[in-house]
Amino acid sequence: MALLIATATLWLPERSTPRVAPHAVLAAAPAGLDLAGIALVGWGLLAALRRPSRTAAAATLCGLLLLTTVDVLRWQAWAYHALLAGGVLLVAPAGRAARHLRWLTVGVYAASAVAKLDVVFADTLGQQMLEVVATGIGAELPGASVGLRRTLALLFPAAELLIAALLAGALRWPRWRPVAVGLACVQHVATIVILSPWGLDHALGVLVWNVGFATQTAALFLMAAAPPEPREPTGADRARDRVALGLVGASLLTPIAYAAGYGDAWLNWALYAPRGAQASVFVDRTAFASLPPTLQTHTEDAGPALLRLRPDDWTLAETGAPLYLAPRVTAALALAMLERYSLEGRMTRVLESQAERFTGERSRLELTTRAEIAAARRGCVAVGR
């Protein structure tokens, strides 16, 4: 609920940034679907606050699924996590949901850590985080070697991987749980401080999700619920348990494909991991006056005759949520801008592949025509203003 409030504009049917439908068929979805989704989520969450039930969970899940189906920009990592966790709570038999969600938590920490163990994180976001920490403790880094700075930056994902290992071990040895949860909470507090307005000044939703994830980790591993009455599981119980296990298992297997270059970052728990494929949009300086005022403020110099558009900053400023990390989404936004603001022949989209883990090298492709950009969007369609 807190995350929905922090990113409220993202979930409204009308906003200044376009909606990005995952398929052309969904581009004509009426605003009524958004309103129905909002109503279902609101009713489900309020009902769950009064009395948790499968009905409340089902309403929340259906509403969230409806809202995310019509707009890729709503595929935030926390929304995906909410869908998975809610699905497990909805279908798993009594006494089994917590076990499955513990493994999901372990997998998120592990996949997030592995996605950042590369030279790109060590040289970019890792260095920014390191600078915040160094400034906070009064340390001096300018004289440190490149190797030392990279090693220090990689301590962030290494600590996350250690937390995943301790939480996994705590499933077998419960005495580990306070230590594992304590370290997880320390990591989240440190992340919140680093990403706060006093640090890197990231989006409010990022900070709220860190609070939420730390809270759910503590709840899952420390708050022991009363065991259900022992009884022989029925065939329906076993079937529901397999469905819940399948949801968790699938979400923990797909990061393997992402490591090989397939899939999207956030749906594979590559959180704060800048190694993924990237896309940039450039326009001629003569096109500046054609852009809407809300986008004009999110441009930067890219040479004597070029401006770089920052749809990521634009989306973040207008919705409070970061732009979904997928080149096809940027392509859909670029094509919409090309058509609406008469940028034919004045726009270039540069696509960079996922970086090599140990070298940081990327392949680069420039797209300049309407047909090339349309081909790169792979079904996504930007609609709205």
Side-chain angles (χ1 to χ4, degrees), residues 280-346:
S280 302
V281 182
F282 301 88
V283 295
D284 291 347
R285 285 185 178 275
T286 57
F288 181 79
S290 303
L291 304 176
T294 55
L295 182 55
Q296 287 178 350
T297 57
H298 299 292
T299 61
E300 61 185 21
D301 290 336
L306 287 179
L307 290 173
R308 179 179 180 178
L309 302 185
R310 297 303 303 263
D312 49 347
D313 289 348
W314 184 34
T315 303
L316 181 60
E318 297 297 317
T319 67
L323 180 66
Y324 184 74
L325 297 177
R328 69 184 184 280
V329 174
T330 309
L333 291 174
L335 185 64
M337 289 186 284
L338 182 149
E339 294 174 343
R340 290 167 197 165
Y341 310 131
S342 303
L343 301 178
E344 183 74 40
R346 297 188 291 172

Short mmCIF file of all heavy atoms in Angstrom, two decimals, residues 280-346:
data_model
loop_
_atom_site.label_atom_id
_atom_site.label_comp_id
_atom_site.label_asym_id
_atom_site.label_seq_id
_atom_site.Cartn_x
_atom_site.Cartn_y
_atom_site.Cartn_z
N SER A 280 19.69 4.50 -25.62
CA SER A 280 19.72 5.95 -25.51
C SER A 280 19.00 6.56 -26.69
O SER A 280 18.97 5.98 -27.79
CB SER A 280 21.17 6.47 -25.45
OG SER A 280 21.88 5.88 -24.37
N VAL A 281 18.42 7.74 -26.49
CA VAL A 281 17.68 8.43 -27.54
C VAL A 281 18.28 9.82 -27.73
O VAL A 281 18.42 10.57 -26.77
CB VAL A 281 16.18 8.55 -27.19
CG1 VAL A 281 15.43 9.23 -28.33
CG2 VAL A 281 15.59 7.17 -26.91
N PHE A 282 18.64 10.14 -28.99
CA PHE A 282 19.22 11.44 -29.31
C PHE A 282 18.36 12.13 -30.38
O PHE A 282 17.80 11.46 -31.25
CB PHE A 282 20.65 11.28 -29.86
CG PHE A 282 21.59 10.59 -28.90
CD1 PHE A 282 21.71 9.21 -28.89
CD2 PHE A 282 22.35 11.33 -28.00
CE1 PHE A 282 22.58 8.58 -28.01
CE2 PHE A 282 23.22 10.72 -27.13
CZ PHE A 282 23.33 9.34 -27.12
N VAL A 283 18.28 13.46 -30.30
CA VAL A 283 17.56 14.24 -31.32
C VAL A 283 18.40 15.45 -31.71
O VAL A 283 19.29 15.88 -30.95
CB VAL A 283 16.18 14.72 -30.81
CG1 VAL A 283 15.26 13.55 -30.55
CG2 VAL A 283 16.33 15.60 -29.58
N ASP A 284 18.14 15.97 -32.91
CA ASP A 284 18.80 17.21 -33.34
C ASP A 284 18.38 18.35 -32.41
O ASP A 284 17.25 18.39 -31.92
CB ASP A 284 18.41 17.54 -34.78
CG ASP A 284 18.98 16.56 -35.77
OD1 ASP A 284 19.87 15.78 -35.38
OD2 ASP A 284 18.50 16.55 -36.92
N ARG A 285 19.28 19.30 -32.24
CA ARG A 285 18.95 20.47 -31.41
C ARG A 285 17.76 21.24 -31.97
O ARG A 285 17.01 21.88 -31.24
CB ARG A 285 20.16 21.39 -31.30
CG ARG A 285 21.25 20.86 -30.38
CD ARG A 285 22.38 21.88 -30.23
NE ARG A 285 23.38 21.37 -29.31
CZ ARG A 285 23.33 21.50 -27.99
NH1 ARG A 285 22.30 22.13 -27.44
NH2 ARG A 285 24.29 21.02 -27.22
N THR A 286 17.57 21.16 -33.29
CA THR A 286 16.45 21.87 -33.91
C THR A 286 15.11 21.33 -33.48
O THR A 286 14.07 21.97 -33.67
CB THR A 286 16.56 21.79 -35.43
OG1 THR A 286 16.58 20.40 -35.83
CG2 THR A 286 17.82 22.47 -35.93
N ALA A 287 15.11 20.11 -32.90
CA ALA A 287 13.85 19.49 -32.48
C ALA A 287 13.43 19.87 -31.07
O ALA A 287 12.35 19.50 -30.62
CB ALA A 287 13.98 17.97 -32.57
N PHE A 288 14.27 20.63 -30.37
CA PHE A 288 14.00 20.93 -28.96
C PHE A 288 12.64 21.61 -28.77
O PHE A 288 11.88 21.27 -27.87
CB PHE A 288 15.12 21.82 -28.40
CG PHE A 288 14.93 22.16 -26.94
CD1 PHE A 288 15.26 21.24 -25.95
CD2 PHE A 288 14.44 23.40 -26.57
CE1 PHE A 288 15.09 21.56 -24.61
CE2 PHE A 288 14.26 23.72 -25.22
CZ PHE A 288 14.60 22.79 -24.24
N ALA A 289 12.33 22.57 -29.63
CA ALA A 289 11.08 23.32 -29.49
C ALA A 289 9.85 22.44 -29.72
O ALA A 289 8.75 22.79 -29.28
CB ALA A 289 11.06 24.50 -30.46
N SER A 290 10.02 21.30 -30.39
CA SER A 290 8.90 20.41 -30.67
C SER A 290 8.52 19.55 -29.47
O SER A 290 7.44 18.97 -29.44
CB SER A 290 9.23 19.49 -31.85
OG SER A 290 9.58 20.23 -33.00
N LEU A 291 9.41 19.45 -28.50
CA LEU A 291 9.18 18.58 -27.35
C LEU A 291 8.27 19.24 -26.33
O LEU A 291 8.26 20.46 -26.19
CB LEU A 291 10.52 18.23 -26.68
CG LEU A 291 11.59 17.59 -27.57
CD1 LEU A 291 12.87 17.40 -26.78
CD2 LEU A 291 11.10 16.25 -28.13
N PRO A 292 7.49 18.45 -25.60
CA PRO A 292 6.63 19.03 -24.55
C PRO A 292 7.50 19.60 -23.42
O PRO A 292 8.62 19.10 -23.18
CB PRO A 292 5.80 17.84 -24.07
CG PRO A 292 6.63 16.64 -24.39
CD PRO A 292 7.35 16.97 -25.66
N PRO A 293 7.03 20.60 -22.72
CA PRO A 293 7.83 21.22 -21.66
C PRO A 293 8.30 20.23 -20.60
O PRO A 293 9.43 20.35 -20.10
CB PRO A 293 6.88 22.26 -21.06
CG PRO A 293 5.94 22.59 -22.18
CD PRO A 293 5.75 21.31 -22.93
N THR A 294 7.47 19.22 -20.28
CA THR A 294 7.87 18.26 -19.24
C THR A 294 9.07 17.42 -19.68
O THR A 294 9.83 16.93 -18.85
CB THR A 294 6.71 17.33 -18.87
OG1 THR A 294 6.23 16.68 -20.06
CG2 THR A 294 5.58 18.10 -18.22
N LEU A 295 9.24 17.24 -21.01
CA LEU A 295 10.37 16.47 -21.52
C LEU A 295 11.57 17.38 -21.79
O LEU A 295 12.72 16.93 -21.68
CB LEU A 295 9.96 15.73 -22.80
CG LEU A 295 11.02 14.83 -23.45
CD1 LEU A 295 11.57 13.81 -22.46
CD2 LEU A 295 10.44 14.12 -24.67
N GLN A 296 11.33 18.61 -22.13
CA GLN A 296 12.44 19.54 -22.40
C GLN A 296 13.38 19.66 -21.20
O GLN A 296 14.58 19.84 -21.37
CB GLN A 296 11.90 20.92 -22.77
CG GLN A 296 11.28 21.00 -24.16
CD GLN A 296 10.72 22.38 -24.45
OE1 GLN A 296 10.61 23.24 -23.57
NE2 GLN A 296 10.34 22.62 -25.70
N THR A 297 12.83 19.57 -20.01
CA THR A 297 13.66 19.70 -18.82
C THR A 297 14.50 18.45 -18.56
O THR A 297 15.35 18.47 -17.67
CB THR A 297 12.79 19.96 -17.58
OG1 THR A 297 11.84 18.90 -17.44
CG2 THR A 297 12.05 21.29 -17.71
N HIS A 298 14.27 17.40 -19.35
CA HIS A 298 15.03 16.16 -19.16
C HIS A 298 15.83 15.84 -20.43
O HIS A 298 15.75 14.74 -20.98
CB HIS A 298 14.08 15.01 -18.81
CG HIS A 298 13.32 15.24 -17.54
ND1 HIS A 298 13.94 15.27 -16.30
CD2 HIS A 298 12.01 15.52 -17.31
CE1 HIS A 298 13.04 15.52 -15.37
NE2 HIS A 298 11.87 15.69 -15.95
N THR A 299 16.57 16.83 -20.89
CA THR A 299 17.50 16.67 -22.00
C THR A 299 18.88 17.12 -21.55
O THR A 299 19.02 17.86 -20.57
CB THR A 299 17.07 17.49 -23.22
OG1 THR A 299 17.06 18.89 -22.86
CG2 THR A 299 15.69 17.09 -23.70
N GLU A 300 19.91 16.67 -22.26
CA GLU A 300 21.27 17.09 -21.95
C GLU A 300 22.08 17.18 -23.23
O GLU A 300 21.76 16.53 -24.24
CB GLU A 300 21.93 16.12 -20.97
CG GLU A 300 22.06 14.70 -21.49
CD GLU A 300 22.61 13.75 -20.44
OE1 GLU A 300 22.51 14.07 -19.24
OE2 GLU A 300 23.13 12.69 -20.83
N ASP A 301 23.13 17.99 -23.21
CA ASP A 301 23.99 18.15 -24.38
C ASP A 301 24.67 16.82 -24.72
O ASP A 301 25.14 16.10 -23.85
CB ASP A 301 25.06 19.20 -24.12
CG ASP A 301 24.47 20.61 -24.04
OD1 ASP A 301 23.38 20.81 -24.60
OD2 ASP A 301 25.09 21.48 -23.40
N ALA A 302 24.73 16.53 -26.02
CA ALA A 302 25.40 15.32 -26.49
C ALA A 302 26.28 15.64 -27.69
O ALA A 302 26.56 14.77 -28.51
CB ALA A 302 24.38 14.25 -26.85
N GLY A 303 26.70 16.88 -27.82
CA GLY A 303 27.52 17.29 -28.95
C GLY A 303 27.03 18.60 -29.51
O GLY A 303 25.99 19.14 -29.09
N PRO A 304 27.74 19.13 -30.49
CA PRO A 304 27.37 20.43 -31.06
C PRO A 304 25.96 20.48 -31.66
O PRO A 304 25.30 21.51 -31.61
CB PRO A 304 28.43 20.66 -32.14
CG PRO A 304 29.58 19.77 -31.76
CD PRO A 304 28.96 18.58 -31.10
N ALA A 305 25.52 19.35 -32.21
CA ALA A 305 24.23 19.37 -32.91
C ALA A 305 23.20 18.44 -32.31
O ALA A 305 22.09 18.33 -32.83
CB ALA A 305 24.44 19.00 -34.38
N LEU A 306 23.54 17.76 -31.21
CA LEU A 306 22.65 16.72 -30.68
C LEU A 306 22.26 17.01 -29.23
O LEU A 306 23.03 17.59 -28.45
CB LEU A 306 23.32 15.35 -30.75
CG LEU A 306 23.46 14.68 -32.12
CD1 LEU A 306 24.18 13.35 -31.97
CD2 LEU A 306 22.10 14.48 -32.77
N LEU A 307 21.07 16.54 -28.88
CA LEU A 307 20.59 16.50 -27.50
C LEU A 307 20.26 15.06 -27.15
O LEU A 307 19.75 14.30 -27.99
CB LEU A 307 19.34 17.35 -27.32
CG LEU A 307 19.48 18.86 -27.41
CD1 LEU A 307 18.09 19.49 -27.37
CD2 LEU A 307 20.34 19.40 -26.26
N ARG A 308 20.56 14.68 -25.95
CA ARG A 308 20.17 13.35 -25.48
C ARG A 308 18.90 13.49 -24.66
O ARG A 308 18.84 14.26 -23.70
CB ARG A 308 21.27 12.73 -24.62
CG ARG A 308 20.89 11.33 -24.09
CD ARG A 308 22.00 10.74 -23.26
NE ARG A 308 21.63 9.42 -22.77
CZ ARG A 308 22.43 8.64 -22.04
NH1 ARG A 308 23.64 9.07 -21.70
NH2 ARG A 308 22.02 7.45 -21.64
N LEU A 309 17.87 12.74 -25.05
CA LEU A 309 16.63 12.70 -24.27
C LEU A 309 16.81 11.73 -23.11
O LEU A 309 17.46 10.69 -23.25
CB LEU A 309 15.46 12.26 -25.15
CG LEU A 309 15.17 13.09 -26.40
CD1 LEU A 309 13.90 12.58 -27.07
CD2 LEU A 309 15.04 14.56 -26.06
N ARG A 310 16.20 12.05 -21.97
CA ARG A 310 16.30 11.20 -20.79
C ARG A 310 14.91 10.73 -20.39
O ARG A 310 14.31 11.23 -19.44
CB ARG A 310 16.94 11.98 -19.64
CG ARG A 310 18.38 12.43 -19.88
CD ARG A 310 19.30 11.26 -20.20
NE ARG A 310 19.26 10.26 -19.14
CZ ARG A 310 20.17 10.19 -18.17
NH1 ARG A 310 21.16 11.05 -18.14
NH2 ARG A 310 20.08 9.25 -17.25
N PRO A 311 14.35 9.75 -21.15
CA PRO A 311 13.01 9.25 -20.78
C PRO A 311 12.99 8.61 -19.40
O PRO A 311 11.94 8.57 -18.76
CB PRO A 311 12.70 8.22 -21.88
CG PRO A 311 14.02 7.88 -22.50
CD PRO A 311 14.88 9.09 -22.35
N ASP A 312 14.15 8.12 -18.92
CA ASP A 312 14.20 7.55 -17.57
C ASP A 312 13.98 8.63 -16.52
O ASP A 312 13.19 8.45 -15.59
CB ASP A 312 15.52 6.82 -17.34
CG ASP A 312 16.74 7.65 -17.74
OD1 ASP A 312 16.57 8.69 -18.42
OD2 ASP A 312 17.86 7.27 -17.37
N ASP A 313 14.66 9.77 -16.67
CA ASP A 313 14.45 10.88 -15.73
C ASP A 313 13.04 11.45 -15.86
O ASP A 313 12.43 11.84 -14.86
CB ASP A 313 15.47 11.99 -16.00
CG ASP A 313 16.88 11.59 -15.59
OD1 ASP A 313 17.02 10.56 -14.90
OD2 ASP A 313 17.84 12.28 -15.96
N TRP A 314 12.54 11.52 -17.09
CA TRP A 314 11.19 12.03 -17.34
C TRP A 314 10.15 11.18 -16.62
O TRP A 314 9.28 11.70 -15.89
CB TRP A 314 10.95 12.04 -18.85
CG TRP A 314 9.65 12.62 -19.31
CD1 TRP A 314 8.97 13.67 -18.75
CD2 TRP A 314 8.88 12.21 -20.44
NE1 TRP A 314 7.83 13.93 -19.47
CE2 TRP A 314 7.74 13.06 -20.51
CE3 TRP A 314 9.04 11.22 -21.40
CZ2 TRP A 314 6.78 12.92 -21.50
CZ3 TRP A 314 8.09 11.08 -22.39
CH2 TRP A 314 6.97 11.93 -22.44
N THR A 315 10.24 9.87 -16.79
CA THR A 315 9.30 8.96 -16.16
C THR A 315 9.40 9.03 -14.64
O THR A 315 8.39 9.06 -13.94
CB THR A 315 9.56 7.51 -16.64
OG1 THR A 315 9.47 7.46 -18.06
CG2 THR A 315 8.55 6.55 -16.04
N LEU A 316 10.62 9.06 -14.13
CA LEU A 316 10.82 9.12 -12.69
C LEU A 316 10.23 10.40 -12.09
O LEU A 316 9.57 10.37 -11.04
CB LEU A 316 12.31 9.03 -12.37
CG LEU A 316 12.71 9.05 -10.89
CD1 LEU A 316 12.08 7.88 -10.14
CD2 LEU A 316 14.22 9.02 -10.74
N ALA A 317 10.44 11.52 -12.77
CA ALA A 317 9.93 12.80 -12.26
C ALA A 317 8.40 12.85 -12.29
O ALA A 317 7.78 13.43 -11.40
CB ALA A 317 10.50 13.94 -13.09
N GLU A 318 7.80 12.23 -13.29
CA GLU A 318 6.35 12.33 -13.46
C GLU A 318 5.57 11.27 -12.66
O GLU A 318 4.42 11.49 -12.31
CB GLU A 318 5.98 12.20 -14.94
CG GLU A 318 6.54 13.31 -15.82
CD GLU A 318 6.01 14.67 -15.45
OE1 GLU A 318 4.78 14.77 -15.21
OE2 GLU A 318 6.80 15.63 -15.36
N THR A 319 6.20 10.12 -12.40
CA THR A 319 5.46 9.03 -11.76
C THR A 319 6.02 8.62 -10.39
O THR A 319 5.36 7.90 -9.64
CB THR A 319 5.46 7.77 -12.65
OG1 THR A 319 6.80 7.25 -12.74
CG2 THR A 319 4.93 8.08 -14.03
N GLY A 320 7.25 9.04 -10.08
CA GLY A 320 7.87 8.61 -8.84
C GLY A 320 8.44 7.22 -8.92
O GLY A 320 8.93 6.67 -7.92
N ALA A 321 8.40 6.59 -10.10
CA ALA A 321 8.92 5.24 -10.30
C ALA A 321 9.93 5.24 -11.43
O ALA A 321 9.76 5.95 -12.42
CB ALA A 321 7.78 4.27 -10.62
N PRO A 322 11.00 4.45 -11.32
CA PRO A 322 11.99 4.40 -12.40
C PRO A 322 11.43 3.76 -13.66
O PRO A 322 10.48 2.97 -13.60
CB PRO A 322 13.13 3.57 -11.80
CG PRO A 322 12.49 2.77 -10.72
CD PRO A 322 11.37 3.60 -10.18
N LEU A 323 12.01 4.10 -14.79
CA LEU A 323 11.61 3.51 -16.07
C LEU A 323 11.94 2.03 -16.10
O LEU A 323 13.02 1.62 -15.67
CB LEU A 323 12.34 4.23 -17.21
CG LEU A 323 12.06 3.76 -18.64
CD1 LEU A 323 10.61 4.04 -19.02
CD2 LEU A 323 13.00 4.43 -19.62
N TYR A 324 11.02 1.21 -16.60
CA TYR A 324 11.26 -0.22 -16.69
C TYR A 324 12.47 -0.48 -17.58
O TYR A 324 12.56 0.03 -18.70
CB TYR A 324 10.03 -0.93 -17.24
CG TYR A 324 10.16 -2.43 -17.28
CD1 TYR A 324 10.10 -3.16 -16.10
CD2 TYR A 324 10.37 -3.10 -18.47
CE1 TYR A 324 10.23 -4.55 -16.13
CE2 TYR A 324 10.50 -4.48 -18.51
CZ TYR A 324 10.43 -5.20 -17.33
OH TYR A 324 10.57 -6.58 -17.35
N LEU A 325 13.40 -1.28 -17.08
CA LEU A 325 14.70 -1.46 -17.74
C LEU A 325 14.61 -2.51 -18.85
O LEU A 325 14.89 -3.69 -18.63
CB LEU A 325 15.76 -1.87 -16.71
CG LEU A 325 16.04 -0.84 -15.61
CD1 LEU A 325 17.05 -1.39 -14.61
CD2 LEU A 325 16.55 0.45 -16.22
N ALA A 326 14.23 -2.08 -20.04
CA ALA A 326 14.20 -2.96 -21.21
C ALA A 326 14.31 -2.09 -22.46
O ALA A 326 13.53 -1.13 -22.61
CB ALA A 326 12.93 -3.79 -21.25
N PRO A 327 15.25 -2.37 -23.37
CA PRO A 327 15.41 -1.54 -24.57
C PRO A 327 14.14 -1.43 -25.40
O PRO A 327 13.90 -0.40 -26.03
CB PRO A 327 16.52 -2.26 -25.34
CG PRO A 327 17.33 -2.94 -24.28
CD PRO A 327 16.32 -3.39 -23.26
N ARG A 328 13.30 -2.47 -25.43
CA ARG A 328 12.08 -2.40 -26.24
C ARG A 328 11.12 -1.34 -25.70
O ARG A 328 10.35 -0.74 -26.46
CB ARG A 328 11.40 -3.77 -26.29
CG ARG A 328 10.80 -4.23 -24.98
CD ARG A 328 10.22 -5.64 -25.10
NE ARG A 328 9.56 -6.06 -23.88
CZ ARG A 328 10.21 -6.52 -22.81
NH1 ARG A 328 11.53 -6.60 -22.83
NH2 ARG A 328 9.56 -6.88 -21.73
N VAL A 329 11.16 -1.11 -24.37
CA VAL A 329 10.31 -0.08 -23.78
C VAL A 329 10.79 1.30 -24.21
O VAL A 329 9.99 2.17 -24.58
CB VAL A 329 10.30 -0.21 -22.25
CG1 VAL A 329 9.55 0.95 -21.62
CG2 VAL A 329 9.66 -1.53 -21.83
N THR A 330 12.10 1.51 -24.19
CA THR A 330 12.66 2.78 -24.67
C THR A 330 12.35 2.97 -26.14
O THR A 330 12.07 4.09 -26.58
CB THR A 330 14.18 2.82 -24.45
OG1 THR A 330 14.48 2.48 -23.09
CG2 THR A 330 14.75 4.19 -24.74
N ALA A 331 12.37 1.88 -26.91
CA ALA A 331 12.05 1.97 -28.33
C ALA A 331 10.59 2.39 -28.53
O ALA A 331 10.28 3.20 -29.41
CB ALA A 331 12.31 0.64 -29.02
N ALA A 332 9.69 1.83 -27.72
CA ALA A 332 8.27 2.21 -27.83
C ALA A 332 8.08 3.69 -27.50
O ALA A 332 7.34 4.40 -28.19
CB ALA A 332 7.43 1.35 -26.90
N LEU A 333 8.75 4.17 -26.46
CA LEU A 333 8.66 5.59 -26.11
C LEU A 333 9.28 6.46 -27.21
O LEU A 333 8.74 7.52 -27.55
CB LEU A 333 9.37 5.84 -24.78
CG LEU A 333 8.71 5.25 -23.53
CD1 LEU A 333 9.60 5.44 -22.32
CD2 LEU A 333 7.35 5.88 -23.29
N ALA A 334 10.42 6.01 -27.76
CA ALA A 334 11.07 6.77 -28.82
C ALA A 334 10.19 6.87 -30.06
O ALA A 334 10.08 7.94 -30.67
CB ALA A 334 12.41 6.13 -29.18
N LEU A 335 9.54 5.76 -30.42
CA LEU A 335 8.67 5.78 -31.60
C LEU A 335 7.49 6.70 -31.37
O LEU A 335 7.08 7.46 -32.26
CB LEU A 335 8.20 4.37 -31.92
CG LEU A 335 7.37 4.23 -33.19
CD1 LEU A 335 8.20 4.58 -34.42
CD2 LEU A 335 6.81 2.81 -33.32
N ALA A 336 6.92 6.68 -30.16
CA ALA A 336 5.80 7.57 -29.85
C ALA A 336 6.23 9.02 -29.94
O ALA A 336 5.50 9.86 -30.50
CB ALA A 336 5.27 7.25 -28.45
N MET A 337 7.41 9.34 -29.43
CA MET A 337 7.90 10.73 -29.50
C MET A 337 8.18 11.12 -30.95
O MET A 337 7.90 12.25 -31.36
CB MET A 337 9.15 10.88 -28.63
CG MET A 337 8.86 10.82 -27.13
SD MET A 337 10.32 11.16 -26.11
CE MET A 337 11.22 9.62 -26.26
N LEU A 338 8.73 10.19 -31.71
CA LEU A 338 9.03 10.47 -33.13
C LEU A 338 7.75 10.84 -33.87
O LEU A 338 7.73 11.79 -34.66
CB LEU A 338 9.71 9.25 -33.75
CG LEU A 338 10.16 9.35 -35.21
CD1 LEU A 338 11.41 8.50 -35.45
CD2 LEU A 338 9.06 8.86 -36.16
N GLU A 339 6.68 10.10 -33.63
CA GLU A 339 5.44 10.32 -34.36
C GLU A 339 4.68 11.55 -33.87
O GLU A 339 4.11 12.30 -34.66
CB GLU A 339 4.56 9.07 -34.24
CG GLU A 339 5.16 7.84 -34.95
CD GLU A 339 4.36 6.58 -34.71
OE1 GLU A 339 3.54 6.58 -33.75
OE2 GLU A 339 4.56 5.60 -35.44
N ARG A 340 4.67 11.79 -32.56
CA ARG A 340 3.86 12.87 -32.01
C ARG A 340 4.52 14.23 -32.14
O ARG A 340 3.83 15.24 -32.23
CB ARG A 340 3.57 12.59 -30.53
CG ARG A 340 2.60 11.43 -30.36
CD ARG A 340 2.55 10.94 -28.95
NE ARG A 340 1.93 9.60 -28.92
CZ ARG A 340 1.98 8.78 -27.91
NH1 ARG A 340 2.62 9.14 -26.82
NH2 ARG A 340 1.41 7.60 -27.98
N TYR A 341 5.85 14.26 -32.15
CA TYR A 341 6.54 15.54 -32.16
C TYR A 341 7.29 15.79 -33.46
O TYR A 341 8.19 16.63 -33.52
CB TYR A 341 7.50 15.62 -30.96
CG TYR A 341 6.84 15.24 -29.66
CD1 TYR A 341 7.43 14.33 -28.79
CD2 TYR A 341 5.59 15.77 -29.30
CE1 TYR A 341 6.82 13.97 -27.60
CE2 TYR A 341 4.96 15.41 -28.11
CZ TYR A 341 5.58 14.51 -27.27
OH TYR A 341 4.97 14.14 -26.10
N SER A 342 6.92 15.02 -34.50
CA SER A 342 7.47 15.23 -35.86
C SER A 342 8.99 15.21 -35.86
O SER A 342 9.66 16.14 -36.31
CB SER A 342 6.96 16.57 -36.42
OG SER A 342 5.55 16.61 -36.43
N LEU A 343 9.54 14.08 -35.38
CA LEU A 343 11.00 13.95 -35.27
C LEU A 343 11.58 13.03 -36.33
O LEU A 343 12.73 12.59 -36.21
CB LEU A 343 11.37 13.43 -33.87
CG LEU A 343 10.92 14.29 -32.68
CD1 LEU A 343 11.30 13.63 -31.37
CD2 LEU A 343 11.53 15.68 -32.77
N GLU A 344 10.80 12.74 -37.36
CA GLU A 344 11.29 11.88 -38.45
C GLU A 344 12.56 12.48 -39.03
O GLU A 344 12.61 13.66 -39.41
CB GLU A 344 10.23 11.75 -39.54
CG GLU A 344 10.63 10.82 -40.67
CD GLU A 344 10.57 9.36 -40.27
OE1 GLU A 344 9.63 8.97 -39.55
OE2 GLU A 344 11.48 8.61 -40.68
N GLY A 345 13.63 11.67 -39.11
CA GLY A 345 14.91 12.12 -39.65
C GLY A 345 15.73 12.95 -38.68
O GLY A 345 16.84 13.35 -39.00
N ARG A 346 15.18 13.20 -37.48
CA ARG A 346 15.92 14.00 -36.50
C ARG A 346 16.15 13.23 -35.19
O ARG A 346 16.52 13.81 -34.19
CB ARG A 346 15.16 15.30 -36.21
CG ARG A 346 15.02 16.21 -37.42
CD ARG A 346 14.45 17.56 -37.02
NE ARG A 346 13.06 17.47 -36.61
CZ ARG A 346 12.37 18.49 -36.07
NH1 ARG A 346 12.98 19.65 -35.88
NH2 ARG A 346 11.10 18.36 -35.73
#
